[in-house]
Amino acid sequence: MAKVPVQFTLNGSEKAEFVESGTTLLNALRDKIGDTSPKGGCHQGTCGACSVIVDGELRLSCLTLAETCNGAAITTTSGLAEGGVLHPLQRAFLDAFATQCGFCTPGMLMAAKVLLDHTPDPSRDDVVEALSGNICRCTGYEPIIQAVLTAARANSQNAA
Amino acid sequence: MELRKSYFSDVRKDDLNEIGQPRPRSDSPGHVTGKTAYFADRNFPGMLHLKMVRSPHHHARIRSIDTSEAEKHPGVVKILTARDVPHNVYTILILIQIGPEDEAVLADGKVRWKGEAVVAVLAETERAAQEAAAKVKVDYEVLPAVFDMEEALKPGAPLVNEYHGQNYYLYDSGECRKVRFGDVEAGFAEADYVLEQSYQSSPIEHAPTETTGCIVAPEGNDRFTCYTNTQAMFFTLDNTSIILQMPGSKLHFVGGTVGGGFGGKVDVIVEPIAILGAKLTGRPVCFTYSREEEMQISSPRAAEKVVIKDGVMKDGRIVARKVTGYTDAGAYSRHSPYGAQKGAGHYPGPYTIPNVWIDTYCVYTNRTPSSAMRGFGVTIGDFALEVQMDKLARLIGMDPLEFRFINAYRDGDMKAHRQPTEGAALIECMQEASRAANWPVAEKYMAMSSYAKGA
Ligand code: FES
Ligand code: FES
């Protein structure tokens, strides 16, 4: 099958790959590039475990073709901590017991990050809405919602 | 969290330094940084993908299997049938002497549920494996099937599983697991009221976020490393050893990281066949359930039916309880004989009842084999028992919580299976619950204790 070249930045570093036409971004990231932080839970756009950020927007990488990401800036959970310092969301998920098996966690973090990037001071309803595409089967949503609200508060304190 | 020290103050230890203290989970730093390695986060060069050809029928004889077209499909490396599996018929709990072996790794001569694994296809890519699997031709003679437990127990019902010889599991106590305590008929005769109700549940799928699967890598020294998300590492290792007739020293299992399980990853389903594939091809093999397989093929919580008959006095004492429980095992045992047995032990509830009679049946039907799930065998029973408790309280016009205080077991009480109660704390839990829920109960119940009877 024909291979197509794709180039994008992943968590700030340049990547160039040849992928089979039709390869999902999820498979390209995991199998080709070796960033396994996005998880495949359903491969059909219903669980949110594969969520990544493409040019500032939340995207389901299982439904995104790698070849459509040429020139894009992609962020995944493995790029969230900077210089070994956890992002406030990561810190809050740790502290608030918002992660049990952890399989949904990378997707949750990405959805939460996009929310906080656009809405630094979200209401509880905003958080619920932002996480509504992500399924967690272990933790229950309340600790996750609380973690996102805590991270938002930490952020606004830093900003102040 | 508040630690109540007033309870059992004369017997409690106060040098505890873990309980009541918050402790971070050791695995959560990996989770939040995306570094935790789940089985599918490993990728081996030359890895093959395994796809199953599954039965489209609930019950059928296999007349013939033709894999010739599938073998010619580009990318196909190996096709496995029952003949390739050294010890094809197994049962998980044989490790604790619960037999007979009743389930085929790959169907042999017959399929007993819709979705049963018949042929395994190993190919270079997932897509090639899928396309080739669609080209396997299986000729079936469809047989009559039975889906209802009561139908399955009737004389003349289609026989689901020949290894059992009848449509129920044969316990050492006979056709069901039995508990007998006191004289239940005498209890009903003396009771002011008798209430019989039946309760029923559907199968429930665990739906873990990560689907079931494993990756096997041959190590070159005739050893195989299996990266798996099993919840039952040693069941899996030992059963694989039996199924493949390989010493455990040849098998290296790596696991412990499970993306949600809830009991759904306790059966030994993907590992033996994936290891066999790796052994026969000399290449790494990945066998992962699609989401669709996870929802349709993995074993759910059993459907149950529970019939409860209670005799109760006007003053609130339950004097007799008779329970008949039915657990729908589906076509194979897996963990269901154990689930039904747990139910038998559980149906008296946390209550002291002088006359108890319990029968629990593990029934075979042509449905998806059911198995472990979060307290299986007792959770549906608890639902039924507690709804029944509310109905009994209503029947005698008593507050439902006070009704439970009257019947709660306390230290020293004899349980129906003749194990004296020790370390009970139900009374204290209910006292806390009544405070927390603002559900007042009479002072005499607040003065009760599990520890000192008569208090
Ligand atoms: S794997 Fe993409 S939404 Fe589930
Ligand atoms: S923590 Fe397991 S799915 Fe969310």
Side-chain angles (χ1 to χ4, degrees), chain A residues 49 98-105 108 135-141 144, chain B residues 31 38 207-210 258-262:
Chain A
T99 171
Q100 283 197 38
C101 83
F103 201 79
C104 69
T105 308
M108 289 281 180
I135 289 173
C136 176
R137 287 286 292 153
C138 321
T139 307
Y141 297 96
I144 300 175
Chain B
H31 295 348
Y38 299 85
T209 316
E210 175 203 47
V258 180
F262 324 114

Side-chain angles (χ1 to χ4, degrees), chain B residues 153-166:
Chain B
L153 290 176
K154 282 187 186 152
L159 180 60
V160 175
N161 190 318
E162 289 74 8
Y163 297 103
H164 293 281
Q166 68 283 318

Side-chain angles (χ1 to χ4, degrees), chain B residues 223-355:
Chain B
R223 275 186 107 209
F224 296 84
T225 303
C226 179
Y227 302 91
T228 165
N229 61 8
T230 180
Q231 290 179 269
M233 193 62 113
F234 291 96
F235 268 176
T236 310
L237 175 70
D238 293 349
N239 274 291
T240 303
S241 167
I242 293 171
I243 290 166
L244 300 183
Q245 300 283 290
M246 283 167 77
S249 59
K250 300 269 179 218
L251 301 167
H252 179 198
F253 277 68
V254 179
T257 305
V258 180
F262 324 114
K265 291 170 180 164
V266 169
D267 296 341
V268 183
I269 305 294
V270 289
E271 296 87 354
I273 195 74
I275 295 173
L276 183 63
K279 190 176 154 116
L280 297 180
T281 61
R283 292 176 57 178
V285 171
C286 175
F287 180 16
T288 310
Y289 277 4
S290 66
R291 176 55 53 187
E292 190 181 352
E293 282 177 303
E294 189 68 45
M295 302 303 282
Q296 301 211 328
I297 308 305
S298 73
S299 23
R301 178 194 287 290
E304 284 181 53
K305 181 170 180 198
V306 190
V307 183
I308 311 175
K309 182 177 172 185
D310 281 329
V312 65
M313 307 304 285
K314 287 189 181 122
D315 64 10
R317 285 175 297 125
I318 305 174
V319 289
R321 171 166 288 178
K322 185 169 186 176
V323 182
T324 312
Y326 303 90
T327 298
D328 190 342
Y332 298 109
S333 290
R334 298 198 184 169
H335 287 81
S336 292
Y338 168 60
Q341 163 152 331
K342 275 205 281 176
H346 199 73
Y347 287 134
Y351 306 112
T352 297
I353 303 173
N355 304 293

